[in-house]
Amino acid sequence: MRSTSIKEILSSDPASQNVVVNGWVKSFRSNRFIALNDGSTLHNIQCVVDFEKIDEALLKQINTGAALKVTGTLVESQGRGQKVEIQVSEVLVHGGADPEVYPIQPKKHSMEFLREQAHLRVRTNTFSAVMRVRSALAFAIHQYFRENGFYYFHAPIITGSDAEGAGEMFRVTTLDQKNPPLNDDGSVNHKEDFFGKETNLTVSGQLEAEAYAMGLGKVYTFGPTFRAENSNTSRHLAEFWMIEPEMAFYDLNDNMDLAEDFIKSVIKYVLTHCEDDLSFLEKRLLDEEKTKPQAERSEMALIEKLKFVSENSFKRVTYTEAIQILRNSKPNKKKKFQYRIDEWGADLQSEHERFLVEKHFKCPVILFDYPAKIKAFYMRLNEDGKTVRAMDILFPGIGEIVGGSQREERLDVLKEKMAALEIPEEELWWYLDLRKFGTAVHSGFGLGFERLVLFATGMGNIRDVIPFPRTPQNAEF
Ligand code: 4AD
Ligand code: MG
């Protein structure tokens, strides 16, 4: 007989039908009840077994974490909290989990401990809930773009360009590290490397997406990106997933409209499709926040916060206005910011972004028209000659979740900018071609997928919303 998923069983009628389920033991009690979970849902199915009738050797193996196949009859449950349960006629142990050594026991484990058990942590309620929400968000993203006329575009992972110009790249090479071929001046001869040039893992698929937007109209990437920045924070990963839509004939306003609509739409999707998991995560967050001082607790519970964001307009503010607000803010005057805001042109730190969102506006904020000096080379220069058509979306508890811009489509202006930043034209000849042949206004943005998952799940650390996090000094698993 084919086995049924627990999710399916829990929503079916107890018509005394015979069922087979597979899953892992969550808990067992009173020598009668086994709670089984197979990952299809947060909820367990209660299996009622007469332990006395089970062979002793088999019984010994029925511990938390053991994988079982259970055959029995689905009946109306006598207990509270569930509609149906299984009266078990046969138990088969696929594999036991020795309680002496199995790390995931039915008690509260710290997030730090679970990170060291990243291969097993998905068997906890918290991580299975997070990963189901993550999966649903990924689906919602593809669905949104599909319904809005975008094509899914696959940017290369190995590239020769540094799109963001921050130099935070992982090198890709097959040269012998101990004995690389050298040029006459002693530098490494990359002509002998696999690709005949220096290459790295991509920090962004944007430049390539621009090429495709200028032919397909509207495209988006959804793939892994890599940054070798040594930021050991709860918001940074060395390998993260980014969604980058790129649209021909969109200006910055169109870009902001799209970004806002997109984020609201995918949050609405999880609100309607992940109710159980979100309720569980909301409760988890409330419990966690009880341990924090009042001032650090969030004002809204998780689901209320998600609804708030999906139903209210984001506040749009220029960088210049934001600087005014920050300069006159209490924490700035009282020197509470680690980085004081004195002058126009200062780069905003996470503390400033969070002040604007959490204390001042109390809603998501889109900051735009940033100083050219603190943004990437490809952003379109404004008439004032000193700001660019950039936009960042800032979220409560997260800070920057989206970074985007209208792109510089004018060949001469782009060339000037590259020259000023000493970016050789030979390296980006193809990118300049896009401005030579049929150039047009175009825009796009990048959404950090894990930052979105952080927001949607209320988790506190980005390491806990990706299956196997990559951070400085950490690539186990
Ligand atoms: O602001 P960023 O650097 O923008 C770009 O890469 C542009 N090329 C995007 C575009 O216009 N197509 O990165 C975009 C987003 C950030 O807002 C943040 O959410 C996320 O990517 N991000 C990270 N997420 C996790 N770990 C890191 N180290 C991240 N760096 C950026
Ligand atoms: Mg950014």
Side-chain angles (χ1 to χ4, degrees):
M1 202 171 131
R2 193 183 66 91
S3 69
T4 317
S5 81
I6 291 173
K7 183 178 180 181
E8 208 178 308
I9 285 206
L10 287 175
S11 60
S12 59
D13 275 331
S16 294
Q17 49 184 316
N18 289 329
V19 289
V20 178
V21 294
N22 289 296
W24 292 270
V25 177
K26 277 278 162 164
S27 61
F28 54 94
R29 62 185 169 87
S30 316
N31 286 344
R32 262 182 81 75
F33 303 110
I34 301 173
L36 209 63
N37 188 281
D38 65 357
S40 60
T41 161
L42 181 74
H43 303 292
N44 307 323
I45 180 87
Q46 170 153 286
C47 305
V48 187
V49 197
D50 192 346
F51 278 33
E52 274 168 24
K53 285 193 188 144
I54 296 185
D55 174 67
E56 205 165 313
L58 191 71
L59 193 59
K60 259 197 167 156
Q61 294 185 62
I62 304 181
N63 289 307
T64 300
L68 307 186
K69 176 183 179 185
V70 165
T71 307
T73 319
L74 193 65
V75 297
E76 200 175 316
S77 176
Q78 305 302 312
R80 278 195 298 141
Q82 71 247 343
K83 204 169 76 174
V84 292
E85 62 189 22
I86 300 174
Q87 288 286 349
V88 176
S89 55
E90 196 187 336
V91 177
L92 182 142
V93 178
H94 291 292
D98 183 350
E100 299 285 317
V101 285
Y102 180 54
I104 313 292
Q105 289 301 318
K107 62 167 195 175
K108 202 170 161 50
H109 294 292
S110 73
M111 289 294 151
E112 289 78 13
F113 172 78
L114 290 170
R115 263 169 235 152
E116 289 166 11
Q117 306 292 333
H119 58 311
L120 299 172
R121 65 180 180 171
V122 71
R123 301 189 198 180
T124 65
N125 286 338
T126 298
F127 283 91
S128 66
V130 167
M131 294 306 157
R132 278 188 295 268
V133 173
R134 182 183 166 108
S135 172
L137 274 171
F139 178 81
I141 287 165
H142 285 299
Q143 177 171 284
Y144 178 87
F145 286 123
R146 198 184 159 77
E147 285 174 357
N148 285 280
F150 283 72
Y151 293 106
Y152 182 24
F153 160 74
H154 299 96
I157 305 279
I158 299 173
T159 160
S161 58
D162 175 8
E164 296 309 300
E168 293 163 332
M169 296 171 300
F170 290 101
R171 191 161 296 162
V172 174
T173 176
T174 52
L175 291 180
D176 180 353
Q177 294 302 289
K178 287 204 196 89
N179 188 24
L182 299 178
N183 295 314
D184 291 342
D185 64 0
S187 60
V188 175
N189 180 2
H190 286 281
K191 290 213 172 68
E192 288 192 31
D193 206 341
F194 189 92
F195 295 107
K197 61 183 285 192
E198 276 192 80
T199 50
N200 44 268
L201 296 178
T202 187
V203 295
S204 157
Q206 178 198 320
L207 303 192
E208 292 87 353
E210 281 187 55
Y212 264 64
M214 299 314 274
L216 289 176
K218 294 197 284 187
V219 298
Y220 72 103
T221 72
F222 189 166
T225 44
F226 308 86
R227 295 195 185 176
E229 50 191 332
N230 205 357
S231 312
N232 238 320
T233 78
S234 58
R235 304 282 174 267
H236 288 88
L237 290 164
E239 176 182 286
F240 63 99
W241 288 66
M242 185 153 54
I243 296 101
E244 296 185 89
E246 190 69 35
M247 299 75 64
F249 317 116
Y250 270 49
D251 66 13
L252 190 70
N253 283 320
D254 302 325
N255 200 25
M256 292 195 278
D257 290 344
L258 175 78
E260 182 170 342
D261 185 58
F262 162 60
I263 295 179
K264 285 176 170 171
S265 161
V266 298
I267 289 176
K268 276 187 195 139
Y269 182 93
V270 291
L271 277 168
T272 45
H273 290 85
C274 303
E275 256 180 296
D276 290 351
D277 288 321
L278 291 180
S279 301
F280 172 82
L281 290 166
E282 170 167 290
K283 197 173 160 297
R284 189 206 74 87
L285 187 59
L286 286 175
D287 289 345
E288 190 188 83
E289 294 212 321
K290 279 185 196 145
T291 64
K292 288 188 193 163
Q294 191 78 39
E296 284 173 33
R297 296 184 198 167
S298 54
E299 286 168 26
M300 288 183 209
L302 179 63
I303 293 174
E304 190 189 354
K305 193 175 70 179
L306 297 182
K307 283 192 180 143
F308 178 85
V309 165
S310 69
E311 286 162 8
N312 290 285
S313 293
F314 297 2
K315 181 83 190 165
R316 298 185 190 187
V317 191
T318 64
Y319 167 91
T320 304
E321 288 167 315
I323 285 290
Q324 287 293 352
I325 293 166
L326 288 168
R327 218 192 252 148
N328 297 323
S329 70
K330 250 196 207 159
N332 202 51
K333 285 186 174 154
K334 291 190 171 172
K335 303 201 165 119
K336 287 270 164 64
F337 284 143
Q338 198 183 339
Y339 298 88
R340 232 181 102 98
I341 298 284
D342 291 320
E343 283 174 47
W344 189 93
D347 204 354
L348 299 186
Q349 304 296 325
S350 172
E351 57 182 347
H352 308 127
E353 297 175 342
R354 292 185 62 171
F355 173 84
L356 290 170
V357 173
E358 290 160 29
K359 301 278 186 279
H360 191 82
F361 290 111
K362 295 183 190 286
C363 71
V365 173
I366 310 185
L367 285 189
F368 64 99
D369 284 352
Y370 279 77
K373 279 211 175 87
I374 58 171
K375 289 290 181 190
F377 77 97
Y378 51 70
M379 298 187 182
R380 193 183 200 280
L381 192 64
N382 277 315
E383 305 307 314
D384 64 13
K386 57 179 197 173
T387 60
V388 286
R389 302 243 80 192
M391 63 117 172
D392 277 6
I393 303 186
L394 315 178
F395 257 44
I398 307 286
E400 180 190 334
I401 194 164
V402 161
S405 62
Q406 185 175 324
R407 319 306 189 189
E408 185 54 78
E409 86 285 11
R410 299 163 296 184
L411 182 64
D412 51 337
V413 184
L414 184 59
K415 276 185 166 178
E416 259 173 52
K417 186 69 177 283
M418 284 169 60
L421 293 172
E422 291 177 33
I423 303 171
E425 286 186 20
E426 309 83 78
E427 270 179 29
L428 286 176
W429 63 272
W430 60 272
Y431 190 71
L432 290 169
D433 262 7
L434 304 176
R435 278 73 184 164
K436 280 185 202 152
F437 311 120
T439 192
V441 167
H442 64 291
S443 301
F445 62 85
L447 168 75
F449 186 51
E450 282 75 20
R451 294 200 185 166
L452 176 69
V453 183
L454 259 186
F455 181 73
T457 57
M459 297 294 283
N461 193 311
I462 201 161
R463 292 169 173 82
D464 300 329
V465 299
I466 186 165
F468 297 106
R470 301 288 180 251
T471 50
Q473 298 298 310
N474 169 37
E476 194 69 43
F477 309 101

